[in-house]
Amino acid sequence: MQASFLFIKRGDRYIKVPVEDILYVSAAGSYLQLHTAYEAFSLSQNLSQFQRHNPISSLVRVHRSYMVNVSQIHSFDHTFVYI
């Protein structure tokens, strides 16, 4: 069964983030940013680790540094994904 939310650690607290609120995930080395419409969360893991530990079918890897929530895609072309 696939989770419908993630708990993201911020300071001493864990914040519940619904999967449908995730727009995209961007990576830079061993850190990544999980972007929602209302805020971004930083995590200290690379994109492969995130993908392995959180197998969410609606998050699709579209580039070596990006995952996009398919339900948030408005359109795309050969260069860009629009959300």
Side-chain angles (χ1 to χ4, degrees):
M1 185 174 155
Q2 182 173 299
S4 59
F5 57 86
L6 299 173
F7 281 103
I8 307 295
K9 187 172 183 178
R10 176 172 283 164
D12 294 334
R13 299 175 63 191
Y14 287 87
I15 299 171
K16 186 177 183 178
V17 179
V19 169
E20 64 267 10
D21 289 354
I22 299 170
L23 300 174
Y24 67 97
V25 181
S26 62
S30 60
Y31 291 92
L32 59 86
Q33 291 244 323
L34 190 140
H35 300 268
T36 67
Y38 49 91
E39 66 184 310
F41 301 92
S42 295
L43 296 134
S44 62
Q45 57 183 286
N46 65 36
L47 200 54
S48 294
Q49 290 170 330
F50 177 80
Q51 197 172 14
R52 190 171 44 252
H53 294 351
N54 302 292
I56 301 168
S57 62
S58 61
L59 290 177
V60 177
R61 195 165 186 165
V62 295
H63 182 270
R64 69 183 195 126
S65 299
Y66 290 94
M67 292 178 78
V68 178
N69 189 340
V70 174
S71 65
Q72 298 288 344
I73 294 175
H74 179 268
S75 62
F76 64 93
D77 58 29
H78 66 281
T79 308
F80 297 101
V81 175
Y82 300 92
I83 53 175

